[in-house]
Structures are given as C-alpha cells and as structure tokens.
C-alpha cells in the first residue's frame, strides 16, 4: 500500500483540511533554522527563513511537494528560484492581500480550486462535500483540544501538535506549568525551531509568554467553522475560517491585525511585546513604529538572520524585561 | 550634413537657450533649464542633456508637473493619486476631463534630483522606513511635507502581487491617516487549459477568472472615481481614454524602435527614460505628452536622415533593466562607451497597445495583468530576451533597486536566462539615489561590461528577430 503524499507549507492561509480531504497529508513545517544546502543558494537580500524552509523541505524524503504562498515577496520569488531546479512539485497559491471585497474572496476560492486540481494531479482525489466536512470537523475538534492547553499554542509545541493532529495522532498535552513573570506577547513573522529558543530566553529573563502572535503561532490558527453553514457550503465555510479570520500584516488594509492585537493585549494583560522579524521582511519592519505607537505597551524589535536568534538578542531581551519588571 | 553630437551641461544649455530663445516656439512651461536649479533640482548640474529643442521641452515638461497639478486644483479639477499599478488606473481617471491623475511613486527620484536636500529620506527614516527599503520611501516624506505635489483628493493603490517594499510603504502612508483605496492584482500564474487562457498584450497569458476578477476591481474603482466627481463614466469616455493612451503608446513605440535600432544613437538614454515615463501618467497633461513625443520623433527622424547622433557607431548597444535611482548613471554608461538599445523599466505593460476590441475595463484588466512584475520572473526574462533580439542589444545591465525585495531573486533569474538564450554579457549593479561615492567603482564595472561586449560583439543580424531582418 502506498502512503498518502505529504505536502509541506508554512503560511497559515493554506487550509490543512483541504489537503487532507484530497487524501494527502498536510505538514505545517517549521524549519529547524539551520540553513542547509539546497535549491536556493545563499545570496544577499534573500530571507534566511525562506531559504531554510525551502531547502529543508526539498531535502526531506518524507515530503512530496511544497505549497508556497504570495503572502510575502520572498516566498513568492522562491518559486521562481526553484522553478527549474526543484525535484518536487511546487504550488504557488495567491492569497489575496485585500479582504474587504467579494472579488478578493472569490480569488481565494478560485485558488483553493486550483490547489485542489494540483493535489489531484499529484495523486490525490477530489473530495465530496461529505468527505470535506468530516475532515473539517475532525481537525476543528483537534484544534479545540490544542488551544485548551495554552502551553501547546506557542512555538514548536504548536506545530508539533498540529502535525500530530494531521497525521491522526494528537500528542498528549504537556503538563501545565505555572510560570510567573511579566506577561509578554511574541509578535511577528514566522519562527524556526531555533528561533523558538526565544521563548525560553524570555522565561529565563523573567517574562512569561502569554501570546504567540507570530505567523506560525497562535495568530495563524483559523477561526471557528460556521456550524450552520457547514453542511451546505463547506468550502465557503473553510474559506471564511482561514481567509476571513486570520489576520496578518501583509493584508491591505491591515487594520484587522491592529484591532486583534489590541484586543489580545487587553484580554491577556500583556505588558510587553517582543516583535520578531527576519531581515528583509518589509511588511513587519514597516509596521514596527506604528505598532509601538498604537498598542500602548513597550515593544522591543528583534531582527532574525536565521543563525541564532536567541543568542544574538540575549542582551536586548534581558534589558527589555528588566525594564518591565 | 552628418556628425557626432555633443551633450550639454545645464550651463551650456542656458547659454544655448539665450542664443535660440527668439526662434524657439515654447509652451507656457518653457524656459531655460537653469531655472530649475533655483527650485532645488541640484542634480541637474551633474547631468548631460541632449542639445535639441525637443529635449528642452521634454525636461521642462517633466520638471513643471508640480505646477500643473497645482493649477489643476485651482481650476477645480479632482486630483487622483494612483500608486504602483504603473499605467492602468490613470486611464480610468483621465476618462473624466475634470480629473488629473498622477503617481506619488514618482517621488522616488526626488532625493536624486534634489540631491537629498528635500530631506524626504530623513522623514521616511523618522517614520521607521529606513534605507533597507526601496527609494520609493521618499514618497512618505513628500506626503508629510506637502512640498512636492498637492495632496490628492483620492488615493488608489494596487495590492496583491506587487513588491513588498511598496506595499509596506503605502500601508505606512495609510497608517499616517491618508485613506487609500486598495485593489487586488493577483499573481499571474501559468494556465494549462487553453480554453481558460487569455492572451494578454505583450505576450503573457492569464487565467480567464483572473481577467474577470481584475475587471470587477476596475469597475469598483470606476465607481469610486464617479463618486469623487459626481460624473458618470460611460463606455464611450473610457474608450476615448484608451484611444488617447494608445496614441501615446504608438508614439513611444515608434520613438523606441527608431532610437534603439538607429546605427548611431539619435537620442541619449536619459531623455529616452523620461519619455518612457510619460506613458505611465502623461506628466499630468495627456495632450501635451503627445506633442512632446511628436517633437522628439521629428528630431530623431531628422537626425537619422542626416546621419547625426551621439557616441559613434562603435558604441556598445546595451539593454537596461529596471529604472535607476540616480539618473546620472545613464550618462555614465554613455561616457563608458555604451548606448541604450532596449529597456525594461518595470512597466513594459504600459508601452503595449491596449486592445480596442474588448469592453474597456476588460481591456484595461488585461493590460494590468500583463505587468511583468506580477508574474514569474521567468516571464519577465522571456520578454527581455525577445526585446534584446528585437533591438539587437549586445550587453545587458540589471540595475538592482536598493532595498527592493524583488531584486535579489529576480535579477539572478533574468541574468541566467539572458546568458543562456542570448550569450550576452550581463552586469548587475546597484545604484543609490546619489551615486557619487560609488562612481569610480561603477565606472570601472560599466567600462568592463562595455569592453567585454565589444570584444564579443555579435553581428547585429545574429540577435535580431527574423521579422526585423
């Protein structure tokens, strides 16, 4: 018996349910952070996270294809860079930047349709509505279990839990840890496994992370499915939960991100924000000052280069937390 | 008579102007170029200009846009600031005679032209948009100072498959309180099914659904413009605007063809760059744009007929990719023994004729989707290769835009395709808004490219398309 094909993605706007409903395995891949050789060479101006993701996934024999998105220039252009050299099939999904119009919503639906055809070309099968609904219900139940334990919603623990869910074996919840310290939100672009050491660093320096607002953190989880519409229009419900609910800095306008952040800061009593962004990530970089002005809690801006985010930034984070205590 | 022409400095031009002025027929914005120095356009002191009356008119037209915009406002016209799409939305805006459209993006050349004296980049820095961003960040400063264009009545910006720098900077602008109407331009992806595939101007293809989506977005923008003015925009007006745009594009196509294929360069690079820019936004006066281009065409035709030109027949024919942040770099290439024969300044879709056999907004949607920047870099590279063959270029310069998020990946892809398909020398350079500090190394690199191209100079027939022979 041949195993289902596994497709790796990084952007939260790729619905795992859609991949799974086609009989394939979704892999919400968080790269280790150690940039390996691969189809994308080291070159000035290229994002270290993008390189780590693409090269690592390309070398991973358990992964059969890549699904990248247009949510940032680096990921979008990665597809151009590997177009002629990738040994694995690559799909580039246009995630609309605008979100207030029916046109944008329709683009997203059209892209899901195109993704579906790609998966079928790769050996998947077109799901019936019933099959899609079953997968959606199963994944939503699993996600509810995950978010019920705050420790599972942060950093590497979240990707491990989600991938366990996708593979049919949700790992047991880690024991709840009582940590006291300055309530911190980590906000920004995606983090590699190595970058996730920042969470431990924050704890070590007297903070406690109550919100992972990074791209591959809690912020990237889809909204709840509309139970009443689910039976009749599952694909639309899926699109609502992902495209209609996830907020990100690349969206235009991106005021939903600000509203979400303000709400989370208030609800969780956040007293400081550690904003993390990879060098060359223009969308987060451009908003640092505005977030600082808007949210009303202290913020430290940490840039990552893919080598060792925690070690490089120990002094800054320590000083930031010392100032907050 | 035949001969080699000599470019003029601005002081030489002013002396020439004094001698010619009694016989010059100039438009209202005419006058000596030197007067722009007192406006702070100090870079003009470092530029070498074409010596024709047509070029004088072109430069004066370019450097007086701010006055035209102010005048339009005084006349009660609505000003629409269109951002990033480079050529599409202004055609909708200009369909209403009471609207003037312009590109605030154009502020990216202000730090160069004013030699940083306007402080726009400092303002961008203060807003958190530092030098890791593309020079278009100067636009933020221009909005803050309100010293370079009147604040528009309406701001429209394309979003989606555009570069992150621009998107981030425009969002920062919105964050400062400037309301922006965003519209989606999707990534142009390959389409396998021929029944779903739409052939676009310029040779690319898009999916039928994408054409429908962009058409719907343009329809929405049309309504927004209508709300601004209170005037409905009918199909006839839109068709008229497309016809007018095509008139400009036809002139420009003729100009490019004649200049880039002439045995001796009849019009230098900088004037051609400025002329190409007119196709995007008409420098806020569409009719005058046609007149300016007509005078350039007359000058070029006369020079070709009389065997006049610059740099001699031995000048290496260079294809230039991306606009350069410091205009002086174009002069420098010519000093190094090159001449421009082919360009791709990010807006080749604004040079192609717009279809006239389609509903107007669908035609404009096709044009928008033909933007070389919204699809794979390989598409753009293929178009570059096609134009290299068309114009018989002998070398290629890829001018990376400092800080621009797309250049790191895109430049390498284009370079690889050009080397593979054309076997031409390719040079990647990066030029800051004021390049004086890197001038000597830039000169060395340009000279090396010219030398390499001259030593492997292909016969022009080797690179020309069959149709061109």
């Amino acid at each position: 018996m041949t195993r289902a094909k596994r497709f790796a993605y990084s952007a939260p706007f790729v619905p795992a349910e859609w991949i799974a409903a086609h009989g394939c395995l979704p892999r919400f891949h968080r790269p280790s952070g150690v940039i390996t050789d691969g189809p994308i060479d080291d070159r000035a101006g290229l994002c270290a996270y993008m390189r780590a993701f693409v090269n690592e996934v390309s070398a991973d024999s358990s992964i059969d294809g890549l699904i990248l998105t247009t949510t940032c220039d680096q990921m979008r252009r990665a597809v151009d860079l590997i177009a002629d050299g990738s040994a694995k099939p690559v799909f580039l999904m246009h995630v609309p930047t605008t979100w207030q119009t029916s046109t944008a919503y329709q683009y997203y639906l059209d892209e899901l349709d195109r993704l579906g055809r790609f998966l079928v070309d790769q050996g998947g099968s077109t799901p019936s509505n019933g099959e899609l609904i079953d997968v959606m219900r199963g994944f939503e139940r699993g996600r509810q279990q995950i978010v019920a334990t705050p420790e599972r919603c942060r950093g590497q623990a979240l990707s491990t839990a989600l991938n366990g869910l996708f593979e049919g074996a949700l790992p047991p919840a880690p024991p709840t840890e009582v940590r006291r310290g300055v309530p911190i939100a980590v906000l920004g672009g995606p983090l590699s496994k190595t970058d996730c050491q920042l969470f431990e660093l924050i704890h070590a320096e007297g903070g406690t992370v109550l919100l992972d607002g990074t791209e591959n953190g809690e912020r990237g989880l889809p909204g709840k499915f509309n139970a009443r519409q689910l039976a009749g229009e599952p694909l639309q419900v899926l699109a609502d939960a992902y495209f209609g609910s996830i907020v990100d800095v690349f969206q235009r306008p991106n005021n939903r991100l600000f509203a979400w952040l303000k709400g989370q800061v208030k609800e969780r009593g956040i007293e400081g924000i550690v904003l993390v962004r990879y060098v060359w990530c223009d969308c987060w970089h451009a908003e640092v000052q505005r977030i600082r002005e808007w949210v009303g809690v202290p913020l430290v801006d940490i840039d990552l280069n893919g080598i060792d985010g925690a070690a490089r930034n120990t002094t800054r984070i320590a000083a930031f937390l010392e100032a907050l205590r | 008579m035949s001969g080699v022409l000599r470019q003029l400095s601005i002081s030489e031009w002013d002396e020439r102007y004094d001698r010619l002025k009694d016989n010059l027929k100039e438009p209202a914005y005419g006058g000596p170029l030197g007067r722009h120095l007192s406006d702070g356009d100090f870079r003009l002191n470092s530029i070498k200009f074409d010596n024709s009356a047509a070029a004088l008119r072109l430069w004066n037209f370019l450097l007086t846009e701010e006055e035209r915009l102010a005048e339009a406002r005084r006349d009660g016209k609505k000003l629409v600031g269109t951002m990033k799409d480079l050529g599409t939305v202004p055609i909708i805006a200009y369909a209403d005679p009471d609207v003037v459209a312009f590109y605030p993006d154009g502020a990216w050349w202000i730090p160069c032209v004013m030699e940083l004296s306007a402080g726009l980049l400092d303002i961008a820095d203060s807003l958190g948009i530092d030098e890791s961003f593309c020079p278009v960040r100067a636009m933020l400063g221009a909005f803050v100072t309100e010293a370079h264009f009147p604040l528009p009545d309406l701001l429209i910006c394309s979003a989606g498959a555009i570069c992150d720098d621009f998107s981030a900077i425009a969002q920062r602008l919105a964050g400062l309180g400037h309301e922006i109407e965003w519209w989606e331009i999707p990534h142009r992806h390959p389409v396998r099914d021929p029944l779903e595939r739409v052939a676009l101007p310029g040779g690319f293809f898009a999916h039928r659904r994408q054409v429908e989506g962009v058409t719907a977005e343009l329809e929405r923008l049309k309504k927004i413009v209508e709300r601004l003015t209170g005037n409905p925009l009918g199909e006839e007006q839109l068709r008229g605007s497309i016809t007018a745009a095509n008139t400009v594009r036809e002139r420009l196509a003729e100009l490019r063809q004649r200049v880039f294929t002439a045995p001796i360069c009849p019009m230098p690079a900088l004037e051609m760059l400025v002329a190409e820019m007119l196709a995007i936004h008409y420098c806020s006066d569409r009719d005058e744009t046609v007149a300016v281009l007509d005078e350039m065409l007359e000058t070029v035709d006369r020079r070709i007929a009389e065997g006049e030109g610059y740099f001699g027949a031995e000048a290496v024919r260079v294809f230039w990719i991306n606009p350069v942040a410091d205009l002086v770099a174009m002069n420098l290439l010519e000093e190094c023994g090159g001449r421009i024969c082919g360009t791709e300044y990010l807006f080749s879709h604004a040079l192609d004729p717009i279809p006239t056999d389609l509903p107007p907004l669908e035609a404009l949607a096709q044009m928008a989707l033909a933007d070389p920047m919204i699809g794979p870099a390989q598409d753009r590279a293929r178009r570059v290769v096609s134009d290299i063959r068309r114009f018989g270029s002998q070398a290629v310069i890829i001018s990376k835009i400092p800080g621009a998020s797309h250049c790191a990946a895109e430049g390498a892809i284009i370079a690889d395709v050009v080397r593979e398909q054309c076997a031409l020398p390719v040079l990647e350079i990066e030029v800051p808004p004021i390049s004086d500090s890197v001038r000597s190394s830039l000169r060395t690199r340009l000279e090396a490219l010219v030398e390499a191209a001259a030593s492997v100079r292909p016969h022009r027939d080797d690179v020309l398309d069959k149709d061109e022979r």
Side-chain angles (χ1 to χ4, degrees), chain B residues 404-461:
Chain B
S405 57
H406 54 92
C407 283
E410 195 182 41
I413 292 168
I414 294 172
D416 285 349
V417 173
V418 168
R419 286 190 185 109
E420 187 185 312
Q421 297 192 18
C422 303
L424 294 182
V426 180
L427 178 68
E428 280 196 76
I429 57 172
E430 185 168 305
V431 181
I434 296 295
S435 63
D436 297 353
S437 63
V438 297
R439 187 177 172 87
S440 59
S441 65
L442 191 57
R443 174 185 286 278
T444 304
R445 287 168 63 75
L446 293 175
E447 282 173 347
L449 176 78
V450 167
E451 199 176 325
S455 61
V456 293
R457 186 188 300 255
H459 189 276
R460 195 162 163 264
D461 282 353

Side-chain angles (χ1 to χ4, degrees), chain B residues 84-88 201 249 346-352 354 367-368 370-372 383:
Chain B
K84 192 58 192 127
D85 66 285
L86 300 179
T88 305
R249 291 169 188 221
L346 301 175
F347 54 84
S348 53
H349 60 300
L351 307 180
D352 296 320
I354 305 164
M367 185 202 137
D371 183 339
R383 174 152 189 165

Side-chain angles (χ1 to χ4, degrees), chain B residues 168-183:
Chain B
I169 292 165
Q171 178 62 64
R172 189 73 183 91
L173 181 64
L176 294 174
H178 297 276
E179 196 174 327
I180 293 176
E181 293 288 347
W182 306 94
W183 64 284

